[in-house]
Amino acid sequence: MTIKKFFLTIAIFFRRNTVLTVAFAAAVITCVIIPPDSQYAGYFDFRTLTCLFCVLAVVCALKNIGFFYAVARRLVGLCSSARMAVLALVYITFIGSMLIANDMALITFLPLGYFVFSVTDSKRDMAVVFILQNIAANLGGMLTPFGNPQNLYLYAHYHIANGEFVSIMFPPFAVSIALITLCCLLLPKRALRIQASQQGQGMRLPPARTAFYLALFALTILMVFRLLPAWLVLAILIVSLLIADRKALKMVDYCLLLTFVCFFTFAGNMARLAPVRNVFSSLLQRNTLLTAVLSCECISNVPSAI
């Protein structure tokens, strides 16, 4: 590889992973201000990183056998109108984000929306479907600790009880369901007919592998809810996927995990700077919600939570 091609590859990587690039730059800058020492080890929430890795890995394994696509396609196949299809797609994405995290739900179910509306005469609805699915993925993930990365971090870092977490998030969750359902019902009720040549018989799931991956997913959920040790589930998951599906381990979003590591480093170093700590403490005491909302607009949701 030539030097020019090497730097071009790096540039493309950074362009595709903007948040990671910013996080890495911020971590490096703060490391210059506060050189690495023994306190660095306390920056990282290893349980959060372990839970996130396990959720991503088992979801990749299920995705590789077409589990989510097969289930979603069968549900949508029961719909007779474009409005009902949109409702089904949005609710599938909504529920999926609670179980497999918002980003994975969007990546998994957006192609299904494209498939349904690209083989019918309802292509004009496709943009609206994508927007509603995007909203559903982000709103649905708020209810569960593993619905999005920042939930997982806050849940683990502050040791929030399961019932308390759900009770806190349920009111905005319920409002979200009502509003997004209303948006779907405002769509025109047109007939939805998939061409016979496009329907096919669907994808057959391998029974044994499906059951095995669902069992791994159940172990992961038990770990997230602190019912099983994180190290035990991590070991079982890695060994199982090394045997059953090594591709799933390669497909894990390691850039997201590295972004967490960078933000842990940045946040830990910033917390050790008295002037910065005093400014943020003052802002949070005045209005925690407003401070969080404004910071999300500037530095995204995960770093704001951290």
Side-chain angles (χ1 to χ4, degrees):
M1 180 183 293
T2 63
I3 295 178
K4 182 179 179 180
K5 189 174 182 180
F6 173 75
F7 283 108
L8 181 61
T9 302
I10 293 177
I12 293 174
F13 175 82
F14 284 145
R15 192 181 307 149
R16 291 178 177 175
N17 299 277
T18 306
V19 177
L20 172 58
T21 303
V22 173
F24 180 75
V28 170
I29 292 172
T30 58
C31 286
V32 173
I33 300 173
I34 300 179
D37 55 22
S38 59
Q39 294 188 44
Y40 268 59
Y43 293 172
F44 308 108
D45 192 329
F46 293 103
R47 178 178 174 78
T48 298
L49 293 172
T50 300
C51 290
L52 186 57
F53 170 81
C54 290
V55 169
L56 293 174
V58 73
V59 165
C60 287
L62 285 167
K63 186 177 179 182
N64 284 345
I65 62 173
F67 175 79
F68 302 111
Y69 184 83
V71 172
R73 182 177 179 179
R74 184 165 185 176
L75 287 174
V76 173
L78 299 175
C79 303
S80 58
S81 68
R83 181 190 296 174
M84 291 303 297
V86 172
L87 272 171
L89 286 164
V90 166
Y91 271 91
I92 289 167
T93 309
F94 213 106
I95 296 171
S97 64
M98 297 182 226
L99 302 175
I100 62 175
N102 51 359
D103 290 344
M104 292 302 298
L106 205 54
I107 293 171
T108 301
F109 299 125
L110 263 184
L112 179 66
Y114 174 81
F115 167 80
V116 171
F117 287 90
S118 64
V119 298
T120 65
D121 57 353
S122 301
K123 290 184 179 180
R124 58 186 176 275
D125 297 324
M126 197 176 295
V128 176
V129 174
F130 284 175
I131 292 171
L132 289 175
Q133 283 186 278
N134 198 342
I135 295 171
N138 284 282
L139 295 179
M142 76 171 76
L143 185 65
T144 60
F146 39 84
N148 53 53
Q150 65 268 23
N151 272 16
L152 197 56
Y153 169 73
L154 294 171
Y155 173 80
H157 184 75
Y158 292 105
H159 303 286
I160 304 173
N162 298 329
E164 182 183 3
F165 189 97
V166 174
S167 65
I168 291 171
M169 298 310 302
F170 185 77
F173 175 78
V175 172
S176 299
I177 290 180
L179 290 176
I180 202 167
T181 301
L182 178 62
C183 290
C184 293
L185 294 177
L186 291 176
L187 295 174
K189 189 177 181 180
R190 287 189 288 267
L192 182 70
R193 295 184 180 88
I194 299 178
Q195 300 173 10
S197 60
Q198 298 286 346
Q199 289 188 18
Q201 298 299 317
M203 185 182 297
R204 284 182 59 85
L205 296 174
R209 193 177 289 264
T210 301
F212 181 61
Y213 290 158
L214 288 176
L216 289 178
F217 186 72
L219 290 177
T220 302
I221 301 304
L222 293 175
M223 174 189 64
V224 172
F225 283 109
R226 308 188 189 109
L227 298 176
L228 287 176
W231 64 267
L232 177 62
V233 176
L234 177 64
I236 293 174
L237 187 74
I238 290 177
V239 172
S240 299
L241 292 183
L242 280 174
I243 297 172
D245 187 0
R246 295 188 179 185
K247 184 180 177 182
L249 293 175
K250 295 179 181 178
M251 290 172 59
V252 171
D253 190 350
Y254 291 102
C255 287
L256 177 60
L257 295 172
L258 186 56
T259 300
F260 263 75
V261 171
C262 292
F263 277 130
F264 282 140
T265 304
F266 170 74
N269 284 333
M270 293 296 286
R272 292 170 64 179
L273 298 174
V276 174
R277 185 170 62 249
N278 293 337
V279 168
F280 276 101
S281 296
S282 175
L283 290 173
L284 289 170
Q285 288 174 4
R286 291 181 182 180
N287 194 316
T288 305
L289 179 61
L290 182 60
T291 301
V293 169
L294 293 177
S295 65
C296 282
E297 294 299 322
C298 299
I299 60 173
S300 187
N301 47 6
V302 175
S304 294
I306 295 175

